[in-house]
Amino acid sequence: ANLAEPTKPSSEFAVMASCWQEPNLFTEILGIFLIVAGILSFLPQYYAIWKAKSSHGLSYLMLGAGCASGAFTAVNVGMLNWERVTCCWEEPKIFWHCIDNNLQFSQLFFAFLTNLILYSMFIHFNRPNAVYSAKECYRVGRWARLILGVTLFLSGSLAIIGAGIYYGANVNGWRITLYANVLGYFAAILNALQYIPQIVTTVKLRGPGSLSLVSLFIQGGGQLLILFFQGVLNHGAVSTWLPQVFAFIEMTTLFVLIVIFHFQKKKHAEAAAMMNQPLLEVSM
């Protein structure tokens, strides 16, 4: 009679014999490098905002989309790889086994965390200046806080719903995959749109404002490494690595625009200096 009863998955569903894999030294080194480099790549941007005491020039829509995309992708990867993550809790192994099992999820979690810190700095240093009115500053700050609150609420809610689906009664593997992939593709859409507001802001300002070129350059190249780590080495779902493709294309476009504006501004400054030179000579 017991054999005829349907199997009821529980937390034991997360502990499978296949969850342990032989540690791959190259994968571990690259994964740890991506986590550390990802954190360090944000430091120039943090410093640029802190030094200027202003976040003017950054798009709160870009930052909000980055936070949301990072959170949804972390939930996506967490659900698809939860059996590997929980191996360290249920069946403790050697240290490097746990590191190897958690690298993919950890890399995306820290990506969300660094974006969240940047968004918080944007709100804190959102202050009016000579070209940024107090009225506009208040409007931007209000919307930025609203988007951040909604993002955090949705992220927490979706994670709780995901846990309920994963550990729920009579849960099937396809439901876990479907829910995780829906979040992943939604994150991909956010990433596809993420840098468009920043491109528009940069075009309007004809310059980067508080946007750090160093961070942008490092993070643009980092997207290719993340794509290789998530998609090739870890064989992640398309919804896991697809956002990196969009991010790389848009960050490259933004970087090229900033370089073009820099040289245009430099050329205009040289032309203005040449035009003023005869006037100085006549006055002398």
Side-chain angles (χ1 to χ4, degrees), residues 4 11 35 91 121 135-136 139 163 174 178 221 249 278:
S11 60
I35 292 174
E91 299 179 6
M121 289 188 67
K135 182 178 180 180
E136 180 68 10
R139 185 189 69 82
W174 69 267
L178 176 62
I249 294 173

Side-chain angles (χ1 to χ4, degrees), residues 111-162:
F112 162 71
L113 185 61
T114 48
N115 272 289
L116 180 61
I117 294 173
L118 179 57
Y119 202 143
S120 300
M121 289 188 67
F122 172 85
I123 293 175
H124 179 73
F125 288 102
N126 178 46
R127 302 167 182 175
N129 54 37
V131 294
Y132 187 42
S133 68
K135 182 178 180 180
E136 180 68 10
C137 176
Y138 173 78
R139 185 189 69 82
V140 168
R142 182 180 58 183
W143 278 107
R145 289 179 176 85
L146 176 62
I147 291 176
L148 178 60
V150 171
T151 298
L152 293 177
F153 175 77
L154 285 178
S155 301
S157 300
L158 292 173
I160 292 173
I161 293 172

